[in-house]
Amino acid sequence: MSALRVSEWQKLPVSLKELCINTTLRCGQSFRWRKSGEDEWSLALHGRILSLRQDSQHLHYRASFPSASLAPPTPPASTVPFAAESVNQDDDDTLALVKHYFNLTPNLAQLYDQWALADPNFRKRAPKFTGVRILQQDAWEALIGFICSSNNNISRISQMVHNLCLHYGPLIGHIGETPYHDFPTPMALTGPKVEQHLQKLGFGYRAKYIYKTAVMVEEKGLDWLQDLCNPENPPLGVDPKPAGELVEGGREGYRRAHEELLALHGVGPKVADCVCLMGLGWSESVPVDTHVWQIAQRDYKFGKGKHSSLTKATYDAVANRFRSLWGKEAGWAHSVLFTADLKTFSERLVAKAEVKEEAVVKTEVNGIKQEADTVRIETITEKRVKRPFVKEEHQVLEVKEEKVTRKRAKRTRN
């Protein structure tokens, strides 16, 4: 087991309205974050293990670096990860990495207000899901992760990506007994036995796509993939540049990136849009899968006439509709509604009502009973309860409401 040089916990002022890691890390953007302690998340990233905690006002982070290169593996390198190189802690760029990875430059609270003003449905659903940010992941990792997402769920995608890292990614170190591997390089996935091995690991038809795409990217070079990035949201360490004004269908750079990604194996329009949004920084990209299509039908009047099914024309119409509503960051707003609809975050509502009636009769005047008030007091207690199969969930919320109604009795004579 490798020794690690563990830094002290640092904190970055970030409110839960600007970033909620318990939601952002579980909503289907990145598939490698794991719980490493109570309210603690960890991931191997850029040659270190990055660990996170959060309170209401701060994001707490620390980095764990390998103290030295690990011994090379004895089994064949085509199926076993290579060792990670040690990172010089004097050149620690973890703060810059955290700010970049979580895309902390945009003011998310202002964006929520902007989207809510433009869209009553967003205004209705978003308040329970503040702090959902679009990550700035490495484009290569996003590409392979979303190839795994085809006809899949978040839990199974996460297991596939975990196996990719475990068998082909560089080992960074351990937290307790748990090994943490960084994401494999394209070259690591081009070996002659990779496809067959991934089949044995349960990747199914995706094994072929991953292998062939790795071969293509290795031939083109990672620079080709990086060149597809939005210059406004470039890779870490690159200065941003303007990318032009939004037009229907998205900016020219977005459309070019989307088109070039479609040439890769296992990449259709939805996967290409996921990579554009979460790996290449094109914020107007709106991935439309069957789940988003259901939202479009339920809340935005799609599903009738020429858009009765999810064709290519309908896919484009949904994305353009959302871009016209939410603007250049349409992909961010779309992800909030996507997250709000995930079963992982849904809550069962338990309601208990208690009714109490009290009748009050006023004094008589000239032998006539005055109006009697019947006061009906109804107390409703609503409790949102965590789903039993989800360990990390929103806190239980209790809402108490009292309703008072009055019934007036008719006057009566003795």
Side-chain angles (χ1 to χ4, degrees):
M1 189 175 297
S2 59
L4 290 171
R5 293 178 294 144
V6 182
S7 68
E8 297 292 329
W9 283 99
Q10 306 293 326
K11 64 181 182 180
L12 179 64
V14 180
S15 72
L16 286 169
K17 284 189 175 183
E18 290 298 314
L19 171 66
C20 176
I21 61 172
N22 279 334
T23 307
T24 300
L25 300 183
R26 296 193 295 139
C27 69
Q29 295 192 58
S30 175
F31 306 102
R32 294 199 295 126
W33 288 94
R34 287 183 284 171
K35 278 295 188 72
S36 54
E38 185 176 358
D39 298 323
E40 181 178 311
W41 295 88
S42 292
L43 166 78
L45 187 67
H46 287 214
R48 77 209 77 193
I49 300 175
L50 178 62
S51 298
L52 302 174
R53 297 173 180 168
Q54 189 171 26
D55 58 37
S56 61
Q57 296 298 324
H58 294 90
L59 179 67
H60 301 259
Y61 66 93
R62 73 176 178 188
S64 302
F65 296 92
S67 58
S69 295
L70 305 177
T74 52
S78 61
T79 58
V80 178
F82 52 89
E85 295 182 0
S86 178
V87 173
N88 186 348
Q89 215 167 0
D90 294 334
D91 299 325
D92 185 4
D93 62 347
T94 302
L95 175 58
L97 177 61
V98 168
K99 289 181 176 180
H100 175 84
Y101 185 87
F102 285 104
N103 223 340
L104 292 179
T105 300
N107 187 312
L108 191 58
Q110 288 182 2
L111 286 174
Y112 269 61
D113 290 342
Q114 173 186 316
W115 300 327
L117 284 173
D119 180 8
N121 183 58
F122 187 93
R123 184 164 62 247
K124 173 185 175 183
R125 298 181 183 276
K128 295 179 184 178
F129 292 91
T130 57
V132 179
R133 299 191 80 91
I134 294 297
L135 304 174
Q136 283 191 279
Q137 301 178 77
D138 289 344
W140 164 245
E141 177 176 345
L143 173 60
I144 296 301
F146 286 110
I147 287 176
C148 292
S149 74
S150 175
N151 297 314
N152 221 339
N153 58 56
I154 292 175
S155 177
R156 191 157 177 259
I157 302 164
S158 299
Q159 186 59 44
M160 286 182 175
V161 172
H162 173 70
N163 277 330
L164 270 180
C165 296
L166 185 65
H167 291 273
Y168 297 97
L171 175 63
I172 304 301
H174 293 73
I175 296 180
E177 300 294 324
T178 304
Y180 281 79
H181 295 255
D182 212 332
F183 201 78
T185 63
M187 180 181 291
L189 298 177
T190 59
K193 297 182 179 179
V194 167
E195 182 180 344
Q196 182 182 5
H197 186 224
L198 293 181
Q199 288 276 7
K200 290 181 180 179
L201 291 174
F203 282 72
Y205 63 86
R206 304 168 194 85
K208 180 178 181 179
Y209 293 157
I210 291 170
Y211 167 72
K212 288 194 170 184
T213 290
V215 170
M216 291 180 70
V217 173
E218 178 65 16
E219 290 175 351
K220 290 174 177 287
L222 283 176
D223 286 345
W224 164 77
L225 200 54
Q226 300 296 350
D227 286 343
L228 299 179
C229 285
N230 181 354
E232 291 179 349
N233 299 295
L236 181 63
V238 178
D239 292 332
K241 298 178 182 178
E245 296 298 320
L246 181 66
V247 296
E248 186 178 25
R251 288 168 287 183
E252 180 181 355
Y254 156 67
R255 296 195 304 272
R256 169 177 164 259
H258 191 271
E259 187 67 26
E260 293 203 31
L261 289 172
L262 290 175
L264 300 173
H265 291 273
V267 178
K270 189 269 290 187
V271 170
D273 270 320
C274 287
V275 179
C276 282
L277 178 63
M278 290 166 263
L280 299 176
W282 291 104
S283 55
E284 71 261 46
S285 177
V286 179
V288 183
D289 60 3
T290 54
H291 191 81
V292 175
W293 172 233
Q294 290 170 358
I295 294 173
Q297 293 177 88
R298 184 191 66 206
D299 300 328
Y300 296 94
K301 299 181 179 180
F302 280 88
K304 299 178 182 179
K306 63 180 180 180
H307 297 310
S308 59
S309 60
L310 189 53
T311 62
K312 174 63 167 63
T314 302
Y315 184 106
D316 293 341
V318 171
N320 283 330
R321 169 66 173 145
F322 288 162
R323 279 189 281 267
S324 69
L325 267 179
W326 303 320
K328 194 170 67 173
E329 290 82 15
W332 289 52
H334 136 282
S335 294
V336 176
L337 296 187
F338 177 88
T339 301
D341 251 32
L342 286 177
K343 290 183 179 179
T344 303
F345 300 106
S346 63
E347 300 163 319
R348 293 177 291 114
L349 189 63
V350 179
K352 181 180 180 181
E354 296 180 357
V355 179
K356 181 180 179 182
E357 291 191 357
E358 297 179 355
V360 180
V361 180
K362 294 185 179 180
T363 58
E364 296 184 5
V365 178
N366 297 326
I368 300 175
K369 289 182 179 179
Q370 301 299 302
E371 292 180 339
D373 284 347
T374 300
V375 181
R376 185 176 184 269
I377 302 175
E378 181 179 358
T379 302
I380 301 175
T381 303
E382 295 180 343
K383 183 179 292 187
R384 292 185 174 88
V385 184
K386 293 186 288 187
R387 281 179 171 265
F389 56 85
V390 178
K391 291 182 180 180
E392 310 90 12
E393 191 51 273
H394 302 289
Q395 294 181 345
V396 173
L397 174 64
E398 293 188 357
V399 181
K400 290 187 177 180
E401 178 184 356
E402 287 194 352
K403 294 182 179 179
V404 178
T405 58
R406 294 180 180 271
K407 295 180 180 178
R408 295 189 177 275
K410 294 181 178 179
R411 293 190 300 173
T412 58
R413 293 180 181 271
N414 288 334

